[in-house]
Amino acid sequence: GATKISEALAANTVLTELNLAWTGIGAEGATKIFEALTVNNVLTVLNLEGGIGIGNDGATTISEALAANTVLTELNLAMNGIGAAGATKISEALAGNTVLTVLNLERNSIGAAGATEISEAVTVNTVLTELNLERNCIGDDGATKISEALTANAVLTELNLAGNSIGAAGAT
């Protein structure tokens, strides 16, 4: 399944959007898709939301794809168990990425540590306009880091921090 899709994606010159949400392709299938993104130069929207299980290890392949790909503008990785270490890998690529405008990391348990890493990327990224970190347990510490990044970022127009147990300390 996913291997055949990734082979086609590597060769395809017209497909601009791919939705594989809730397909069950698994971490191995997602890795194949991300490997294809390193050579694909037309896909602009990729949805891998839900239960695929990309995890921390798959985030390494994601970061490599984001570093090599020059056309992907929207990436949905919601609910994939990426965690703080995976958020670190994604933030490394995001810091230098010049095309991704929408990133959804909802429900990936990145915690305050992951939010800190993402905030560092947001500080230097010049194209990301939408970031969804809903329900990632970032708490006050993570919210503080994100708010600090917002003072340096002039392009982010939409930020979702709902359901992150942010109290008064994180809101000020």
Side-chain angles (χ1 to χ4, degrees):
T3 299
K4 293 294 183 187
I5 292 170
S6 69
E7 290 170 359
L9 188 58
N12 187 282
T13 60
V14 293
L15 185 69
T16 59
E17 294 187 27
L18 179 59
N19 185 346
L20 294 171
W22 298 100
T23 57
I25 64 171
E28 185 177 333
T31 296
K32 295 285 186 192
I33 299 296
F34 287 119
E35 288 170 353
L37 282 181
T38 63
V39 296
N40 179 285
N41 61 3
V42 292
L43 191 73
T44 58
V45 178
L46 178 59
N47 183 355
L48 292 175
E49 178 179 343
I52 291 171
I54 292 168
N56 290 328
D57 294 337
T60 299
T61 309
I62 294 166
S63 68
E64 291 167 358
L66 288 176
N69 185 284
T70 59
V71 295
L72 190 69
T73 59
E74 295 183 29
L75 180 58
N76 185 346
L77 299 172
M79 295 178 264
N80 273 294
I82 289 171
T88 299
K89 292 293 184 186
I90 291 169
S91 70
E92 290 169 0
L94 188 60
N97 185 284
T98 59
V99 292
L100 192 70
T101 58
V102 178
L103 178 60
N104 185 349
L105 293 174
E106 178 184 347
R107 295 183 186 213
N108 272 295
S109 302
I110 67 169
T116 298
E117 296 295 332
I118 295 294
S119 72
E120 291 176 12
V122 167
T123 300
V124 297
N125 183 284
T126 59
V127 295
L128 190 70
T129 58
E130 295 179 34
L131 177 61
N132 186 347
L133 296 176
E134 182 178 346
R135 296 181 186 258
N136 268 295
C137 305
I138 69 169
D140 289 336
D141 292 341
T144 298
K145 292 297 184 183
I146 294 290
S147 68
E148 290 169 1
L150 292 177
T151 62
N153 182 293
V155 295
L156 192 68
T157 58
E158 292 184 37
L159 175 63
N160 186 346
L161 297 177
N164 272 297
S165 301
I166 299 169
T172 56

